[in-house]
Amino acid sequence: MSDLPRLVCASANPDKVAEMALVLDGIVELLPRPHALADVVEDADDLEGNARLKAAAVCAVAQEAAVSDDTGLEVDALDGAPGVRSARYAGEAASYADNVDKLLSELERVGAGTVRARTARFRTVVMVVWPDGSELSAQGSVEGWIAEHPRGTAGFGYDSVFVPTEGDGRSFAEMGDEKHVISHRGRALRSLALALSVPDSEPRKA
C-alpha cells in the first residue's frame, strides 16, 4: 500500500485529470472521481468557491479527502473576462473551440490588436476538502497575452491562444507538457503538495 496521501480527484474533465496526475505523480495517490456522481453545478462567484463546491461534493460521496481546481483566464481588455466563466464562456455546452472563437471575436470587437492590448493571465485555485469539513487551498498564476490565431495542437481550453510571458514565444499548446513548469495549474498543485507535506500546514475549517 502506498504511503502517499490519498486524494480523490473531483474533476470530471479528463484533460484536467491528466494534468493533475502528471504534476502530482509521486507526491499524492490520486484516486478517480466516483462514477455515480452527477456533474456539480459551479455557480460560485469566484474560483475558490467553485473549487470548494466540487471538492466538497466529491468528498461527501467518497468519504475521503477530495481535491479539485477551478481555473480562469482573465483578459485585461475584456475587464477580466471570461474569468470564473472561462469553461462556459460561449455557453453551457460550449466546446474548447467555441470558447476560443468567442474570445478572439470579443478582442476583435474591442479593437485589441496589439500584444500590449491583449495582456492576460491564467489563475488556478486548487483545494482539498476532508470529511471533517476542514480544507486547504493553494493558488497559481501566470502572465501572458492572447495570440491572434490558435497555435499548436497540445493542451486544451485556451492553451492554443495563450502565450506565457515567461516562455519563448510559444503558446501553451505548442509547449505541450513543458508548460507545467510555468503553468498556473502546475504552480498551484506544487504549492498544494508542499503544504500537504509540511506538518505545520494544518487544514483550515470551511
Side-chain angles (χ1 to χ4, degrees):
M1 179 176 292
S2 173
D3 292 329
L4 299 175
R6 288 164 55 97
L7 298 177
V8 180
C9 186
S11 179
N13 182 324
D15 295 313
K16 281 190 177 184
V17 173
E19 282 199 357
M20 293 175 77
L22 183 64
V23 176
L24 294 175
D25 184 41
I27 300 172
V28 304
E29 182 182 355
L30 199 62
L31 305 177
R33 184 178 190 270
H35 294 295
L37 183 65
D39 288 342
V40 178
V41 177
E42 300 175 40
D43 55 1
D45 294 330
D46 55 26
L47 300 177
E48 184 176 53
N50 279 338
R52 180 180 292 110
L53 285 172
K54 290 181 284 188
V58 170
C59 177
V61 172
Q63 285 299 296
E64 290 196 66
V67 60
S68 182
D69 87 292
D70 201 38
T71 294
L73 175 66
E74 301 170 348
V75 182
D76 294 325
L78 302 178
D79 298 322
V84 72
R85 289 195 55 81
S86 292
R88 304 172 297 282
Y89 192 38
E92 292 298 325
S95 66
Y96 295 149
D98 292 335
N99 287 329
V100 168
D101 287 345
K102 179 173 181 179
L103 174 65
L104 296 180
S105 294
E106 287 296 294
L107 284 171
E108 184 176 340
R109 180 183 64 80
V110 300
T114 66
V115 170
R116 184 179 295 275
R118 300 169 78 90
T119 53
R121 69 206 48 79
F122 265 126
R123 286 202 310 115
T124 289
V125 175
V126 292
M127 181 171 292
V128 177
V129 173
W130 281 265
D132 67 358
S134 59
E135 63 183 42
L136 182 67
S137 66
Q139 300 189 30
S141 65
V142 58
E143 297 287 331
W145 53 275
I146 305 301
E148 293 186 1
H149 306 285
R151 293 159 32 187
T153 58
F156 64 97
Y158 299 92
D159 283 357
S160 64
V161 291
F162 185 82
V163 182
T165 304
E166 298 170 58
D168 55 10
R170 289 179 294 167
S171 71
F172 270 169
E174 291 174 304
M175 296 173 69
D177 287 344
E178 294 176 54
K179 77 174 186 178
H180 300 311
V181 176
I182 60 172
S183 78
H184 46 297
R185 187 170 291 108
R187 286 172 169 166
L189 289 169
R190 286 191 294 273
S191 293
L192 181 73
L194 179 61
L196 288 169
S197 69
V198 176
D200 292 339
S201 294
E202 292 293 334
R204 62 182 178 84
K205 283 290 183 180

